[in-house]
Amino acid sequence: MNSFGFSSTASDVLAGVDLTGQRALITGANSGIGVETARALAAAGAEVVLAVRNVVAGKEIASNISGAAVAELDLASLDSVRAFVRAWDGPLDILVNNAGIMGIPELTRTPEGHELQFAVNFLGHFALVDGLHAALAAAGGARIVSLSSNAHLMAPPVFDDLDWVYRPYTPIGAYGESKTATVLLAVEATRRWADDGIVANAVNPGAIATNLQKHTGGLRTPVERRKTVQQGAATSVLAATLTTGGRYYEDCAEAPVLTGPPVMFGGGVAPFALDPGNAERLWEIASDLVTVQP
């Protein structure tokens, strides 16, 4: 049990934590909580790599973070993920799957034919995690942080239509399902790779006004439930220090598993998002959808 909570910041969580000699990779680290996550990990001594689609913007951010490096990564393109994995060299101690998109108004597909939110929020990250398995194992005690959202509470996985081929597309429905998938990724990665010393956890960063809401008309969460960027990064960096995995955290604590309907703007994690059978099934499906060679 720690003393952190809703109002804690990333700096609070990492106060006194020494990450010297560890390498951390953060996706989507050119805006929002990704920037603060990178900054906090670097301040604790980690060597950080910002994996971003916009390299110019990434380099501008990196110029203000001690020792930060930038690498190009477009999670909507499996070819880009493959290239990133091939270029990676050496162990990886911390992988923060931070990048995400939300509420794309119209059904949009990647060049590979995948629904865009599923592709960016989950499938691209799955390909990255799977492709970097050897680097994570080489670190001895690596941690994966998988960013989710309370939107997952209303979105059980629909395994037979992950790409919204047969159902009428709904922007928030697709977002929610992609965020359920990110939790299941953490559950199965921990189960499969525990013998390699790898643990993975999912986090709900909370409601933070960032570019994520550009398609939704802005943040709708009540003011008292909103967080600053510094507070939003706190649960991510906490998960980057954990030694147990397969769990879901929010407000810097393990979230309760809900036994009834979710409450609007409430917390907790849905049982279907932690279900090991769901996690294994999704991993197998994703493995069939991507092929990433280290």
Side-chain angles (χ1 to χ4, degrees):
M1 181 72 68
N2 62 61
S3 59
F4 307 118
F6 178 91
S7 300
S8 298
T9 67
S11 297
D12 294 335
V13 171
L14 292 181
V17 175
D18 185 6
L19 298 177
T20 301
Q22 299 195 31
R23 302 175 75 195
L25 171 63
I26 305 99
T27 67
N30 58 353
S31 66
I33 63 174
V35 175
E36 185 59 27
T37 299
R39 182 179 292 114
L41 291 172
E47 172 192 336
V48 301
V49 178
L50 316 183
V52 298
R53 188 166 55 88
N54 185 333
V55 173
V56 174
K59 288 182 176 179
E60 184 176 348
I61 296 297
S63 67
N64 295 310
I65 300 176
S66 177
V70 177
E72 184 175 4
L73 175 64
D74 181 357
L75 289 159
S77 166
L78 293 177
D79 284 341
S80 176
V81 178
R82 293 183 184 105
F84 184 94
V85 168
R86 286 194 299 268
W88 185 267
D89 182 43
L92 176 60
D93 299 274
I94 300 169
L95 171 56
V96 183
N97 295 326
N98 170 84
I101 55 175
M102 176 183 181
I104 305 302
E106 302 292 332
L107 176 60
T108 305
R109 300 197 181 279
T110 67
E112 290 91 356
H114 300 295
E115 189 276 317
L116 189 58
Q117 294 181 88
F118 174 73
V120 172
N121 296 345
F122 168 72
L123 193 61
H125 279 122
F126 170 84
L128 182 67
V129 167
D130 196 40
L132 291 175
H133 174 222
L136 292 161
R143 288 86 68 199
I144 301 168
V145 183
S146 191
L147 267 72
S148 185
S149 163
N150 64 358
H152 88 274
L153 292 168
M154 297 170 283
V158 179
F159 292 109
D160 293 328
D161 195 20
L162 293 170
D163 281 314
W164 294 79
V165 174
Y166 306 107
R167 295 173 289 163
Y169 173 77
T170 63
I172 298 303
Y175 175 71
E177 285 183 31
S178 74
K179 289 302 182 177
T180 295
T182 66
V183 185
L184 293 171
L185 185 157
V187 171
E188 184 65 5
T190 298
R191 186 189 72 82
R192 286 176 179 253
W193 296 343
D195 289 345
D196 295 320
I198 300 169
V199 298
N201 286 289
V203 303
N204 170 20
I208 308 103
T210 67
N211 290 337
L212 186 67
Q213 298 94 22
K214 66 182 180 180
H215 296 298
T216 63
L219 201 60
R220 308 295 178 86
T221 308
V223 173
E224 66 274 13
R225 293 297 304 161
R226 299 180 187 182
K227 295 186 178 185
T228 65
V229 171
Q230 292 77 16
Q231 292 168 336
T235 308
S236 291
V237 300
L238 175 71
T241 68
L242 297 174
T243 57
T244 56
R247 304 175 185 181
Y248 177 98
Y249 288 80
E250 60 190 4
D251 297 339
C252 295
E254 186 175 353
V257 179
L258 298 185
T259 57
V263 177
M264 182 68 72
F265 304 117
V269 59
F272 56 73
L274 296 177
D275 181 85
N278 285 344
E280 183 175 12
R281 183 178 180 185
L282 181 63
W283 189 286
E284 295 296 338
I285 292 171
S287 294
D288 289 340
L289 295 177
V290 304
T291 303
V292 179
Q293 299 296 327

